[in-house]
Each structure stands twice: as C-alpha cells, then as structure tokens.
Amino acid sequence: PPNTPRVIYVGEISGPKPFDKGKARASKDEQNKLRRPYDAAVDPWGRLHVTDARAAAVYRWDFNKKQFAIIGKDSNKLKFPAFMAIDGDGSVYVSDLITKEIVVFDKDGRYIFSINQEGPLEKPSGLAIDRENKRLIVSDMPRHQVHIMDLNGKILRSLGTYRKDQKAGSSEPGEFYWPGFVAVDKVGKIYVSDYLNFRIQVFSPQG
C-alpha cells in the first residue's frame, strides 16, 4: 500500500452550511437538513447537487462562493426526485419516480421543461448525459429498457428487450432485468447497471 493515504476523509454534508475553514461539517439547520439524499452530481463549476426524495427538491452547494440553494421547491415540479445528470451548460436533469417525468432546470435552478409528460416512458430512472454527442441516456426500469434521447427528450433509439419467462440472472446479452444506474464515458460508451441480471452491460456509442 502507499505510504501516504490517497483518499482522506474530510467531513460530512448534511445541511446548508457545511463551510468550516474549507472543510465540510455537519449542519444544525434542521429545516433544510438532508432527509433522504438519493443521488449526487457535480456541475462544470464544481457545485455539488444532491437530490433529496423526502424534501422533494435538489440541494446545491457552491463551496467556492460558500453559497447554498434549493432547486425545484418553488416550481412544485418535484415529488420524489431520485436520479440526476448535469449537462455541460449546467442544465440539471432530474428523474422523478412519482410523477414519472424528467424535470429539467437551468444552471441557475430555474425550471425549463419536463420530459415524458405524456409518455412513452413508464418510469424514467437512471440518467446520464453524453456531452460529446449531446444525448440523454435514460433507464426505464419497469420496461426493462434503456433509451437514447436528444437533450429535449426525443427518443432516438431504445436498447434492450425483456422476456416474460426470464429469471434473475438468465438474460441474454442486450436484455435487461430492471436496469438502474447508467453512465457514459468520454467517447460515448454506455454502461448500464443490469440490477437483477447481476452485471454491468456495455454498449457502443451507437447503441
């Protein structure tokens, strides 16, 4: 092992004021304290965003400016914000497991639009942004599919099939059984957490 630890615990973040001599600390602000943090992402300016399913909002910390903001509370668009992804321009995409929509906010936290207000996704879940190709990758757990969309929510291609007779761990390559988290690397390869198949599936940028 290395002589010097490569990863050092700094502190915890649980509320709006985690600023103490540059280090994170616990918060005594009960009103805006994290209740059920679900997902986290960092924008191009280094600001930390955390979805809080119980608070029905996205919390944002700007550590450089020592500022805290709550996104989505006033818009009344979030009911159970879960997964999240942030585009290169700072737009924040949030999947809501109750409204079954993907809610989009700009870099300043203002509501822009929602995706899937009239379908066709059953329950958009995991999100990832393919910044190189300007695409949104969305897992749809109940339909056992992953969709490649443009950044406005138009489906370009769908990945995966589901067989009614399949059992956990028995799916063929390209089949999903409750796909969850998704990720995209710098060349556009798509990584899918295939939850009940106990594996990560990898797809080319073309799907």
Side-chain angles (χ1 to χ4, degrees), residues 22 27 44 46 53 65 67 85 90 105 126 142 153 167:
S27 172
K65 296 181 179 179
Q67 294 176 348
F105 301 91
K167 298 179 181 179

Side-chain angles (χ1 to χ4, degrees), residues 133-148:
N133 298 300
K134 300 185 183 302
R135 303 184 302 180
L136 174 66
I137 314 300
V138 183
S139 68
D140 192 346
M141 283 186 173
R143 289 193 176 180
H144 311 286
Q145 288 186 309
V146 172
H147 305 283
I148 301 175

Side-chain angles (χ1 to χ4, degrees), residues 25 38-39 50 78 80-81 86 89 104 107 114 117 133 138 146 148 160 166 171 175 180 188 193:
R25 63 179 175 81
Y38 205 104
D39 198 3
V50 176
L78 298 175
F80 195 109
I86 302 179
D89 66 359
V104 186
K107 64 181 180 62
S114 295
Q117 289 179 304
N133 298 300
V138 183
V146 172
I148 301 175
Q166 74 178 348
S171 298
E175 295 179 335
S193 174

Side-chain angles (χ1 to χ4, degrees), residues 4-203:
T4 302
R6 295 176 181 174
V7 179
I8 301 175
Y9 173 79
V10 175
E12 69 177 56
I13 299 170
S14 60
K17 296 181 179 180
F19 312 107
D20 184 12
K21 296 182 181 180
K23 293 185 178 182
R25 63 179 175 81
S27 172
K28 296 181 180 180
D29 187 335
E30 294 296 328
Q31 182 178 358
N32 293 316
K33 189 174 182 179
L34 285 171
R35 301 176 186 179
R36 191 177 295 175
Y38 205 104
D39 198 3
V42 177
D43 70 15
W45 300 276
R47 299 180 299 183
L48 173 66
H49 295 65
V50 176
T51 54
D52 192 307
R54 189 170 180 182
V58 177
Y59 289 6
R60 184 183 72 200
W61 291 266
D62 187 326
F63 298 108
N64 293 323
K65 296 181 179 179
K66 296 187 176 182
Q67 294 176 348
F68 171 79
I70 298 177
I71 298 171
K73 201 73 172 180
D74 296 335
S75 69
N76 199 32
K77 296 293 183 180
L78 298 175
K79 303 299 182 184
F80 195 109
F83 301 90
M84 175 174 48
I86 302 179
D87 195 3
D89 66 359
S91 297
V92 181
Y93 292 71
V94 181
S95 63
D96 193 296
L97 299 186
I98 289 182
T99 66
K100 302 178 181 179
E101 296 178 357
I102 300 169
V103 186
V104 186
F105 301 91
D106 69 14
K107 64 181 180 62
D108 297 314
R110 293 184 292 257
Y111 170 75
I112 306 176
F113 63 95
S114 295
I115 297 170
N116 203 50
Q117 289 179 304
E118 299 179 358
L121 307 186
E122 187 169 342
K123 184 178 284 188
S125 305
L127 303 177
I129 299 288
D130 179 357
R131 295 182 181 180
E132 180 69 23
N133 298 300
K134 300 185 183 302
R135 303 184 302 180
L136 174 66
I137 314 300
V138 183
S139 68
D140 192 346
M141 283 186 173
R143 289 193 176 180
H144 311 286
Q145 288 186 309
V146 172
H147 305 283
I148 301 175
M149 298 179 159
D150 65 22
L151 296 179
N152 293 314
K154 178 182 177 181
I155 294 180
L156 305 175
R157 185 170 183 184
S158 297
L159 309 178
T161 57
Y162 169 69
R163 294 180 288 107
K164 292 183 179 181
D165 62 340
Q166 74 178 348
K167 298 179 181 179
S170 67
S171 298
E172 297 295 325
E175 295 179 335
F176 297 117
Y177 201 178
W178 291 95
F181 285 93
V182 292
V184 181
D185 68 15
K186 63 181 180 180
V187 299
K189 282 184 180 178
I190 301 169
Y191 299 79
V192 182
S193 174
D194 195 1
Y195 182 58
L196 287 181
N197 281 321
F198 321 120
R199 63 187 178 185
I200 304 295
Q201 294 206 61
V202 185
F203 296 84

